[in-house]
Amino acid sequence: MMTEDLARERYYEQLQPLNLAPLWSVLKGLVPAQPVPAARACMWSWNEVYPHLLRAGELITAEEAERRVLVLENPGLPGKSQVTDTLYAGLQLILPGETAPAHRHTQSALRFVLHGSGAYTAVDGEKTPMHRGDFIITPHWTWHDHGHDGDEPVVWLDGLDVPLVTFLRAGFREEFSHKAQATSPGAGNSTVRFGSGLLPIDHVQRGLTSPMFCYPYVRAREAIEVQARATDPDPHLGVCLRYVNPATGGWAMPTIGAVLRYYPRGFATRPYRSTDSTVLVGLEGEAEIRVKGCDVLRIGPNDVAVVPGWSEWTVTARLDTVLFSYSDRPVHEKLGLLREARS
Ligand code: 1HN
């Protein structure tokens, strides 16, 4: 036995300089019986994070930082700027009078506004005001800058597909020649132009992202309220609406699936899991998120929680609760990899 092991060790040593490796030593790890996320279930409480954001506002300007953001780093992926195995999340602060300079990149971004008003983001010449609960898209490779004409700190959550794009080595970035892009008020408001159930008769869908950049919370909230009155909550998902591209009915973004969820007070979901990994943001109410094998996560307004892929989880609503979430589900769907289990 000993000599056989030794013979194998020697053999492996001979393989290494030839850039060869025996599959049989790694096969089970390469192709596990089920997904093994490195990310852990975890959460960030708004009350804990917000003072640190304000402190960052004293220490560095938005312009110097380019983006003044505290990255939400998953404790299972330290130093990697990842909130899950595939996604990025950060909380961005902009103060009155500041601008975050224009740039573009091939990573797709979403903004989910958490606090304050008076800030705006400009996407390819169109300025969108930001209000709490608005879901705003920065499609990949579009010029974008942010600014603030109001009088209170504004914070939003940035969600990007950075780890996915890094994995594919498909990342490009460019700085704009000026601090801010010229915005054309005449270009109009994409929410009205594309979100009213009307499209130009000759509309041609360009690119993979929704032509509607901003999904205001006033509209989304009305939609989920009407849905909640019209149907019983799904036993596993609660009342759950997808943000869609109004021109195609598909996801609003090619790599990131955004969802609005409502759970009536006292409602508890049945255990659910899916291969996509999910970032949840509290908007209204309070709920307990139980991820199998982890401590209970208590999520309230502006708190952020993570459910790694293929983790079984439930939601129990203590109050009428609204959550926003985003995940890499569109990628799983497109690649035929999405798997769900309900119990
Ligand atoms: C980015 O461009 C923004 O434009 C925020 O506000 C966060 C994180 C990673 C890469 C690009 C922004 C980002 C980012």
Side-chain angles (χ1 to χ4, degrees):
M1 195 58 185
M2 194 55 211
T3 53
E4 193 176 86
D5 282 354
L6 215 63
R8 286 183 185 176
E9 272 315 312
R10 290 231 174 86
Y11 170 65
Y12 298 155
E13 282 164 21
Q14 288 166 358
L15 292 179
Q16 209 176 17
L18 300 173
N19 300 322
L20 292 168
L23 175 63
W24 58 87
S25 329
V26 293
L27 181 59
K28 293 232 160 65
L30 269 188
V31 188
Q34 49 181 318
V36 189
R40 296 208 283 262
C42 58
M43 75 167 282
W44 291 264
S45 120
W46 172 254
N47 287 337
E48 233 165 60
V49 176
Y50 185 53
H52 289 289
L53 274 171
L54 291 178
R55 181 75 181 125
E58 294 165 1
L59 292 173
I60 191 164
T61 64
E63 201 172 331
E64 192 194 343
E66 189 162 342
R67 298 295 187 260
R68 190 201 287 114
V69 175
L70 291 181
V71 177
L72 304 184
E73 278 206 339
N74 192 288
L77 293 154
K80 295 221 166 13
S81 303
Q82 290 181 224
V83 72
T84 72
D85 290 79
T86 53
L87 296 169
Y88 163 98
L91 294 177
Q92 181 157 179
L93 168 74
I94 190 158
L95 294 172
E98 287 190 322
T99 51
H103 68 195
R104 65 176 176 179
H105 39 71
T106 50
Q107 292 83 358
S108 294
L110 68 82
R111 326 280 164 201
F112 193 75
V113 186
L114 296 181
H115 180 79
S117 60
Y120 63 85
T121 182
V123 174
D124 266 354
E126 181 176 317
K127 225 171 170 177
T128 299
M130 303 172 100
H131 306 284
R132 185 167 188 273
D134 292 354
F135 162 59
I136 300 169
I137 303 173
T138 308
H140 52 97
W141 210 238
T142 53
W143 295 110
H144 54 284
D145 54 82
H146 318 302
H148 195 340
D149 301 326
D151 54 16
E152 57 179 346
V154 168
V155 178
W156 63 79
L157 176 112
D158 294 308
L160 288 92
D161 55 7
V162 171
L164 275 169
V165 175
T166 302
F167 177 75
L168 297 170
R169 297 291 183 259
F172 295 87
R173 189 192 78 241
E174 273 181 9
E175 321 300 330
F176 197 62
S177 45
H178 304 283
K179 259 196 288 191
Q181 32 174 337
T183 49
S184 46
N189 172 330
S190 77
T191 306
V192 175
R193 283 205 295 152
F194 300 103
S196 303
L198 294 160
L199 290 174
I201 197 158
D202 55 355
H203 175 78
V204 179
Q205 170 67 19
R206 281 213 188 79
L208 299 171
T209 307
S210 168
M212 176 168 161
F213 293 159
C214 180
Y215 296 70
Y217 189 51
V218 280
R219 288 185 173 201
R221 199 186 187 294
E222 193 181 15
I224 204 134
E225 237 181 83
V226 168
Q227 181 72 10
R229 279 201 296 269
T231 61
D232 287 333
D234 178 274
H236 295 89
L237 302 175
V239 180
C240 202
L241 296 179
R242 281 185 313 123
Y243 289 87
V244 300
N245 176 338
T248 64
W251 292 103
M253 302 172 71
T255 50
I256 301 179
V259 168
L260 194 68
R261 301 161 186 267
Y262 169 73
Y263 310 89
R265 178 195 167 114
F267 186 78
T269 63
R270 309 252 333 130
Y272 172 82
R273 59 170 143 178
S274 57
T275 47
D276 58 324
S277 44
T278 304
V279 180
L280 296 140
V281 185
L283 255 178
E284 297 181 33
E286 188 182 298
E288 282 151 18
I289 298 173
R290 285 186 178 76
V291 181
K292 198 173 178 177
C294 304
D295 295 338
V296 177
L297 308 174
R298 189 176 283 265
I299 190 168
N302 294 4
D303 298 336
V304 180
V306 167
V307 179
W310 208 240
S311 311
E312 192 174 86
W313 62 297
T314 63
V315 178
T316 306
R318 291 288 154 223
L319 304 168
D320 282 340
T321 298
V322 183
L323 305 179
F324 169 82
S325 73
Y326 68 100
S327 88
D328 52 343
R329 180 173 285 233
V331 179
H332 290 248
E333 286 181 357
K334 284 169 181 133
L335 300 181
L337 293 170
L338 182 72
R339 195 185 275 220
E340 299 174 275
R342 291 167 164 83
S343 47

